């Protein structure tokens, strides 16, 4: 039973990894804490609102990398406030 559970857990983790891409900075480099180019989600939500962040997240295609583009947040914010 334990082995089956671990096997299913690994399969789920692989599925999640395969569906998710990296978040890239405007220069198309992977964002990471070690590189120091991470944007805090709270700051983005406070600046543009949570609906604009959801709009940006929904524009990403599964399994592909997504660029952090502030223009997309601006568009999302405008759509929500109309």
């Amino acid at each position: 039973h334990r082995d089956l559970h671990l096997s299913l857990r690994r399969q789920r983790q692989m599925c999640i990894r395969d569906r998710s891409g990296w978040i890239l900075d405007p220069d198309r480099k992977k964002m990471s804490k070690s590189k120091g180019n991470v944007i805090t989600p709270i700051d983005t939500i406070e600046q543009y609102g949570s609906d604009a962040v959801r709009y940006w997240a929904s524009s990403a295609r599964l399994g592909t990398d997504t660029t952090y583009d502030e223009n997309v947040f601006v568009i999302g914010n405008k759509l929500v406030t109309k």
Side-chain angles (χ1 to χ4, degrees), residues 27-80:
D27 296 327
R28 309 268 313 149
K29 295 178 184 166
K30 183 184 111 174
M31 294 181 109
S32 69
K33 291 186 284 185
S34 62
K35 292 182 180 183
N37 61 351
V38 176
I39 309 277
T40 307
I42 297 299
D43 296 338
T44 306
I45 290 171
E46 287 176 354
Q47 184 173 0
Y48 299 105
S50 59
D51 288 327
V53 174
R54 286 187 197 104
Y55 174 80
W56 169 79
S58 68
S59 68
R61 291 188 345 219
L62 292 177
T64 62
D65 298 339
T66 303
T67 303
Y68 182 89
D69 184 0
E70 291 196 5
N71 293 327
V72 177
F73 295 108
V74 171
I75 292 168
N77 194 21
K78 287 180 181 179
L79 286 172
V80 172

Side-chain angles (χ1 to χ4, degrees), residues 13-24:
Q13 288 172 340
M14 288 175 58
C15 181
I16 290 170
R17 184 196 69 217
D18 291 343
R19 284 188 286 158
S20 303
W22 298 109
I23 305 300
L24 306 176

